[in-house]
Amino acid sequence: QVHLVESGGGSVQAGGSLKLSCVGAGYPFSTWYMGWFRQVPGKEREGVAGIASDGSPTYADFVKGRFTVSRDNARNTLYLQMNSLKREDTAMYYCAADSRRLLELVPGYVSYWGQGTQVTVSS
């Protein structure tokens, strides 16, 4: 059974940094596509960043240059380093996993989700 557990969320002032982690279990982590999505109440979930099994990253335009996605296959862990955080980055952040490589960060393409970790950025 696929199990994803996020951690690292919290409250931070604008301009600050946070690093999210997601530990995966119950599937061959190293060969699966992993990603981060976020959602604000009342809005649709949106893709933030993804990383293929070969380490190739994909980023949403609104995080390019600020966020970095990475993975440690030895630890079955996905990371999202978030720098220069803005108030509009406030959201619940979800870890995502799929056995197929996602060509686009579309929530409907994702097979498995974590429970989410809240990120709150204040001015």
Side-chain angles (χ1 to χ4, degrees):
Q1 183 177 356
V2 175
H3 195 49
L4 303 170
V5 179
E6 303 98 332
S7 62
S11 297
V12 64
Q13 288 194 326
S17 299
L18 281 175
K19 187 173 185 177
L20 306 183
S21 299
C22 170
V23 177
Y27 65 100
F29 181 93
S30 65
T31 66
W32 280 35
Y33 190 91
M34 299 295 297
W36 291 100
F37 291 72
R38 70 186 188 185
Q39 189 169 21
V40 175
K43 294 188 176 181
E44 293 187 354
R45 192 168 297 188
E46 61 181 358
V48 175
I51 185 166
S53 58
D54 64 2
S56 301
T58 299
Y59 295 99
D61 287 342
F62 53 81
V63 301
K64 284 182 179 177
R66 299 190 299 125
F67 292 9
T68 302
V69 63
S70 62
R71 62 193 298 162
D72 184 342
N73 291 333
R75 289 181 166 80
N76 283 10
T77 303
L78 173 73
Y79 301 102
L80 184 68
Q81 177 67 49
M82 305 186 293
N83 299 327
S84 302
L85 283 161
K86 305 175 181 180
R87 286 192 64 184
E88 51 264 43
D89 294 319
T90 295
M92 184 71 79
Y93 284 71
Y94 296 91
C95 176
D98 202 284
S99 61
R100 305 160 299 170
R101 181 170 185 157
L102 300 186
L103 299 181
E104 295 181 78
L105 295 171
V106 175
Y109 295 163
V110 175
S111 296
Y112 299 97
W113 297 98
Q115 293 299 305
T117 185
Q118 177 68 36
V119 171
T120 302
V121 184
S122 59
S123 58

